[in-house]
Amino acid sequence: MVSLHTSPVDESTARGLLTEYFQSREIGFAHQGITYTPVFPDAEAFTPPRGVFVVVRDDSGDAVGCGGIRLIADGPHGRRYEIKHLFLRPETRGRGWGRLLMADLEARARDLGARELVLDTHHSLEAAAALYAATGFTGIERYNDNPNATRWYGKVLAGTQTG
């Protein structure tokens, strides 16, 4: 059964998954004539209470995906976390693990007091957009200056505990 484990974002397994993710984006964007600018995340931004990073492991215990949340400036609904670096290896897709990872990150954000989750993506990543819509995200105004993004999404976390 698939499992999710917190990990320092700069730990070797997490860094390897991020390298894979960035390489896949560079290749995909290059086919469209777009330059992708990878930026490895700051470990402090993904350390509680500022954030968390999660590694997805398959039935065999192999690391097959990752994703994280990080605290950013408050938004119109209050405390805001951003989902970053959501990645699953292609051979794992279609199993519901993306939804599982999104639900896990949302629960972790709620535990950290988030009132809203946001994320950005590129319009060419249609499967990602479908996942975000299926997990309750809707289009919002641009909230950052990410040069790789063309779409921004948000989700208000109703019933979030504050404290």
Side-chain angles (χ1 to χ4, degrees):
M1 179 165 200
V2 66
S3 59
L4 300 143
H5 306 273
T6 59
S7 171
V9 74
D10 56 356
E11 182 271 331
S12 63
T13 299
R15 189 155 177 95
L17 287 164
L18 285 168
T19 298
E20 240 181 280
Y21 167 70
F22 291 143
Q23 288 172 342
S24 72
R25 293 285 60 85
E26 285 177 301
I27 292 166
F29 280 38
H31 286 291
Q32 301 172 61
I34 301 168
T35 301
Y36 178 78
T37 307
V39 177
F40 276 92
D42 173 22
E44 192 175 301
F46 291 90
T47 301
R50 293 189 60 204
V52 67
F53 197 76
V54 174
V55 170
V56 180
R57 294 191 177 274
D58 67 11
D59 305 353
S60 302
D62 295 327
V64 295
C66 61
I69 54 169
R70 67 178 181 182
L71 181 65
I72 61 172
D74 285 357
H77 303 284
R79 190 173 182 97
R80 185 185 249 189
Y81 279 81
E82 180 181 38
I83 293 178
K84 293 297 293 180
H85 312 302
L86 198 71
F87 170 70
L88 286 168
R89 288 187 175 147
E91 66 271 17
T92 69
R93 295 178 190 160
R95 298 180 188 181
W97 294 359
R99 284 181 191 230
L100 182 67
L101 179 55
M102 290 290 286
D104 181 79
L105 293 173
E106 181 177 327
R108 292 173 191 275
R110 285 178 187 275
D111 289 347
L112 291 170
R115 302 292 298 165
E116 181 182 18
L117 272 175
V118 295
L119 59 89
D120 61 35
T121 191
H122 193 269
H123 66 271
S124 65
L125 302 175
E126 294 176 16
L131 173 64
Y132 305 145
T135 54
F137 284 79
T138 57
I140 61 171
E141 293 295 315
R142 178 182 204 132
Y143 66 87
N144 65 20
D145 61 357
N146 181 350
N148 301 313
T150 57
R151 290 186 181 158
W152 293 262
Y153 295 89
K155 180 177 182 178
V156 176
L157 303 178
T160 300
Q161 298 297 316
T162 57

